[in-house]
Each structure stands twice: as C-alpha cells, then as structure tokens.
Amino acid sequence: MGAAYNYYRGNNSLIHLAVLFAAAFSSLQIVHSKLSPHYYSSSCSQAPSIVQSVVVAAIQKEARIGASLLRLHFHDCFVNGCDGSILLNDTDKFIGEQTANPNNNSIRGFHVVDDIKAQLEKACPGVVSCADILAIAARDSVVYLGGPSWTVPLGRRDSTTANRSAANTFIPAPTLNLTALISSFSAQGLALKDLVALSGSHTIGQARCTSFRGRIYNDSNIDASFARSLKRNCPMSGNDNELERLDIQTPTHFDNFYFENLVASKGLLHSDQELFNGSSTSADCLVKKYACDPHAFFKDFARAMVKMGNIKPLTGTQGQIRLHCSRVN
Ligand code: HEM
Ligand SMILES: *[C@@H]1O[C@H](CO)[C@@H](O)[C@H](O)[C@H]1NC(C)=O
Ligand SMILES: *[C@@H]1O[C@H](CO)[C@@H](O)[C@H](O)[C@H]1NC(C)=O
Ligand SMILES: *[C@@H]1O[C@H](CO)[C@@H](O)[C@H](O)[C@H]1NC(C)=O
Ligand SMILES: *[C@@H]1O[C@H](CO)[C@@H](O)[C@H](O)[C@H]1NC(C)=O
Ligand SMILES: *[C@@H]1O[C@H](CO)[C@@H](O)[C@H](O)[C@H]1NC(C)=O
Ligand SMILES: *[C@@H]1O[C@H](CO)[C@@H](O)[C@H](O)[C@H]1NC(C)=O
C-alpha cells in the first residue's frame, strides 16, 4: 500500500513538475513577447511613484489635464500600437500625428509627459519608455479623479517614427455611426463591450464646438433643452474652439454619469449618442447596465484599458527608449 501510495505520489509529482515546467516556460515566453507589471521593478522601482506625483500635481493645478492625459494614451494606441508615436514632433523624415484632424487644436498634455520624462531621466536614465509613461499617467489620472484602478502591464518601447495619415485613418471621428465605431474598435481587437466601456472616458474632459456642431444642429435624438443651451456658445458657424463638458453633470469626476446622460439623450458627441437609441440593441443594454451599476462600469473599463494598452506594443529590441519624448534619439 505504502509503496503503491508512493508510486502514485511520485507519478503525480512528475506530472506536477511537467505542468510547472510548461507553465514556467510559457510565462517566460510571455515575458519576452508581452508586457509585465513588474517590468521596471529592478531597473527603476521608483518609476510608478514618479509618474503619479507629477500627474497628481498637474491635475491639482488644472483638473482637465487628467482627461487630456487619458486621451493621449488612447490616441497613441490606436495608431500603430501603444508606442509613444503621438508624442513625436514633425521632422524632415515624417509629418507627425499631432496635426492629424482628431488631434490638431485638441490633443494636450505634452508638457506633463515632458515633466514626467525629465524626472525619470534623472532617476533612471534611459530606462522608462514614453509609451509606458502614457499608460501609467492614464491610469493615475482616472484613479485621482475618482475612477477605478488597475495594474498596468509595462515594457513597451518607443517608435522611431510617426504617421499623420495613419492617425487620420485609425482614430475614430465623432461623426461616426455605431456600425463604423464598432469597425474602428474591432480593427484594434476591441469588442463592442470595450467600445462602450472605454467611451465612458467621456465622463471627464471637454470637447470643442466644432466636434459637436453637427450633433446639436442636425441630430433628432437629442434632448431639446440640452441642444438649445449648447447652441448659445456654439453657433452654426464660428466659435469652433468654444469648449463644453463631455459630461454635463460632473466633468472632473470619473463616474458613470456619462451613461445616465446617454439614456437621457444628452450625449454631447454624435458618436456618444450612437451607443444608445432606446431600441434594446446590445450597445443599449451595456449603456443601461453601466448607468445603473457603476461597479460594472469600473470593472469593464479597467479591463478594457488593459486591453487597449496591449495594442501592438514594441518590445525586446524593437524601437528604442527615447530620452526626450518629442524626438527620436
Ligand atoms: C468611441 C470613439 C471616440 C470618439 C469618436 C471620440 C471623440 C472625441 C472627441 C471629438 C473629443 C473632443 C475633442 C475636441 O473637440 O477637442 C474627445 C475628447 C476626449 N476623449 Fe474621446 N472619443 C472616443 C473614444 C475615446 C476613448 C476610447 C477614450 C479613452 C480611453 C477617450 C477619451 C477622451 C477624453 C478623456 C476626452 C477629453 C479630453 C480633454 O478634455 O482634453 N475617447 N473624444
Ligand atoms: C491645424 O490647425 C491650424 C490652426 O487652426 C491650422 O492652421 C492648420 O491648417 C491645421 N493643420 C492641419 C493639418 O489641418
Ligand atoms: C502611414 O499610414 C498610412 C495609412 O495607414 C499608410 O497608407 C502609409 O503607408 C503609412 N506610411 C508609412 C511611411 O508607414
Ligand atoms: C454608417 O456609416 C457608414 C459610413 O459612413 C455608412 O456606409 C452606413 O450606411 C452607415 N450605417 C448606418 C446603419 O447608418
Ligand atoms: C447638417 O446636415 C446638412 C445636410 O446633411 C449638412 O450639409 C451640414 O454640413 C450638416 N451640418 C453640420 C454642422 O454637420
Ligand atoms: C437603433 O440602432 C439599431 C442598430 O444600429 C438599429 O437597428 C435600430 O433601427 C435603431 N433604432 C432606432 C429607433 O433608431
Ligand atoms: C516639440 O515641439 C514642442 C512644441 O512646438 C516644443 O515645445 C518642443 O521643444 C519640441 N521638442 C523638441 C525635442 O524639439
């Protein structure tokens, strides 16, 4: 009996060893091909706290900057992956992404990224990528403004080029309908649930008149008094850069009111309101769920942010660690 027991136990141990070995081997492969939350734990353990302290100081100075930093990460990831390409200034070799239509006169937060990078270069020269700075700063902004937290996988490297026409092609426009929004996200490996959850980012930040003029003058699925009040600062022509809150209720608090607004036909962008038309579509059901259940929104948002942050990162020997985020080394 004892021998048999030992025999079986021995056999089980062998199986366990094999399983452990396979698991260790596949996780090694993950370390080589994908990102890891512990990427900087020996090379720059202070990195997360440095990023956080600059982000918090920037938001304390100007609440909107948290929204701007979140958007920077999104606009980076949708254009050839999360590789810091949006941060590059134009050069003789390429026209960068900052003047692409979705970014021109609208994308902001570069000075905060530059501050973070300068502090990181002092603490750990040449170690932390600009693409990772964007991913951590996005998370820290959401947390500071009252949203969910999540563990940020790290180890992205920075691109050596940028492409304005790719930014025009891949960053979705606010004029898109639901079908086109789904395609845009699906092209990045993101599902309808990710689209709806990530659109909840519009619970913070602002948009220019030029981004919602079509919505307030041409759309019929808009609350009449909401449209009327928006027309005051956003005439049929002119005042293109006049700003309005994306979430009319709490524009500097990361909550689920964005979804309440959609149910009330008070989405600011045409693309926002496309997610809810009261016909019990799959998108409608997600919007209603998130409007009623902030925890479900927070959970799905955090997961979708990690998914978005994993879009085509440069790893290993690809790209470089830029010393200045706005230019290649
Ligand atoms: C679903 C497709 C999306 C469209 C069509 C869209 C479009 C826009 C537009 C037009 C603006 C206002 C820009 C301006 O007028 O200056 C804006 C702002 C913003 N977007 Fe989106 N967006 C989308 C998804 C996302 C996602 C996925 C995120 C983040 C994960 C995001 C984060 C933000 C934030 C935080 C702002 C406010 C930025 C600020 O105040 O500086 N958006 N978006
Ligand atoms: C960016 O905006 C500026 C200022 O409005 C404008 O002069 C320029 O033509 C725009 N660039 C592009 C590429 O649209
Ligand atoms: C830039 O992006 C456009 C649109 O995706 C693509 O057609 C073009 O080949 C890219 N240019 C370079 C130099 O990669
Ligand atoms: C959505 O927009 C696309 C591109 O503009 C258009 O071809 C399509 O007919 C639209 N779909 C719906 C359902 O309106
Ligand atoms: C409103 O719709 C009309 C007709 O389709 C179009 O010509 C106009 O450009 C639209 N206005 C805005 C601000 O989108
Ligand atoms: C709502 O959107 C769905 C999907 O795009 C569409 O099939 C349906 O006809 C729309 N309902 C209304 C009332 O516009
Ligand atoms: C990139 O452009 C910005 C704005 O024009 C400027 O402040 C910054 O110094 C530039 N970066 C480099 C490395 O030249």
Side-chain angles (χ1 to χ4, degrees):
M1 281 296 277
Y5 176 75
N6 279 333
Y7 172 80
Y8 280 114
R9 193 176 61 164
N11 204 21
N12 272 341
S13 299
L14 273 179
I15 291 167
H16 282 154
L17 257 180
V19 168
L20 276 176
F21 186 78
F25 185 71
S26 63
S27 72
L28 267 181
Q29 282 189 319
I30 285 167
V31 167
H32 281 291
S33 62
K34 296 218 188 114
L35 308 175
S36 149
H38 312 295
Y39 191 80
Y40 298 113
S41 56
S42 58
S43 57
C44 192
S45 60
Q46 331 76 304
S49 63
I50 291 175
V51 178
Q52 186 193 38
S53 69
V54 179
V55 166
V56 167
I59 299 176
Q60 284 171 346
K61 205 166 139 211
E62 190 217 6
R64 184 188 173 196
I65 206 74
S68 308
L69 290 168
L70 172 58
R71 188 169 184 236
L72 264 180
H73 182 44
F74 163 49
H75 283 204
D76 183 31
C77 293
F78 266 53
V79 185
N80 298 323
C82 312
D83 60 359
S85 57
I86 193 171
L87 304 171
L88 288 174
N89 287 356
D90 294 355
T91 68
D92 294 344
K93 297 201 182 72
F94 57 80
I95 300 174
E97 295 161 20
Q98 293 171 16
T99 53
N101 296 325
N103 294 331
N104 200 25
N105 302 313
S106 163
I107 199 86
R108 56 204 297 282
F110 297 107
H111 66 282
V112 181
V113 177
D114 290 344
D115 280 0
I116 294 169
K117 184 62 176 173
Q119 293 215 20
L120 286 171
E121 285 305 308
K122 264 191 249 160
C124 329
V127 171
V128 182
S129 70
C130 300
D132 279 346
I133 291 174
L134 292 181
I136 303 170
R139 190 268 317 270
D140 292 348
S141 296
V142 169
V143 170
Y144 190 75
L145 296 171
S149 189
W150 61 93
T151 302
V152 182
L154 297 166
R156 298 166 190 82
R157 290 168 62 86
D158 297 323
S159 72
T160 52
T161 188
N163 183 340
R164 182 167 71 189
S165 73
N168 280 322
T169 304
F170 294 112
I171 300 171
T175 49
L176 297 189
N177 61 32
L178 180 61
T179 313
L181 290 168
I182 290 171
S183 312
S184 165
F185 275 62
S186 157
Q188 307 284 350
L190 298 172
L192 174 72
K193 190 171 164 184
D194 303 313
L195 162 65
V196 177
L198 290 172
S199 294
S201 294
H202 293 171
T203 180
I204 53 175
Q206 302 180 10
R208 293 161 305 153
C209 166
T210 187
S211 299
F212 58 83
R213 181 177 280 125
R215 164 118 181 96
I216 61 177
Y217 289 100
N218 280 355
D219 284 359
S220 53
N221 59 348
I222 186 168
D223 176 87
S225 71
F226 178 62
R228 209 177 310 118
S229 74
L230 291 167
K231 286 174 184 171
R232 280 202 289 269
N233 289 324
C234 183
M236 287 239 228
S237 73
N239 279 15
D240 280 5
N241 295 322
E242 203 62 35
L243 294 169
E244 291 291 346
R245 311 155 156 207
L246 280 156
D247 167 9
I248 44 165
Q249 304 191 65
T250 51
T252 59
H253 197 256
F254 197 101
D255 50 33
N256 66 333
F257 294 175
Y258 168 81
F259 297 102
E260 290 185 4
N261 298 337
L262 297 187
V263 173
S265 302
K266 292 178 181 173
L268 182 62
L269 305 178
H270 174 81
S271 52
D272 291 328
Q273 199 61 53
E274 279 291 306
L275 303 178
F276 185 86
N277 72 2
S279 290
S280 296
T281 62
S282 318
D284 278 29
C285 293
L286 287 164
V287 168
K288 276 187 276 185
K289 179 164 98 172
Y290 295 153
C292 296
D293 184 353
H295 297 292
F297 166 48
F298 278 16
K299 183 164 146 276
D300 290 354
F301 181 81
R303 288 169 69 126
M305 282 299 291
V306 172
K307 221 168 142 181
M308 186 179 87
N310 280 335
I311 297 173
K312 284 187 5 200
L314 300 174
T315 56
T317 57
Q318 297 170 315
Q320 60 180 213
I321 303 299
R322 274 183 229 142
L323 302 178
H324 294 276
C325 291
S326 57
R327 65 171 154 85
V328 299
N329 297 338

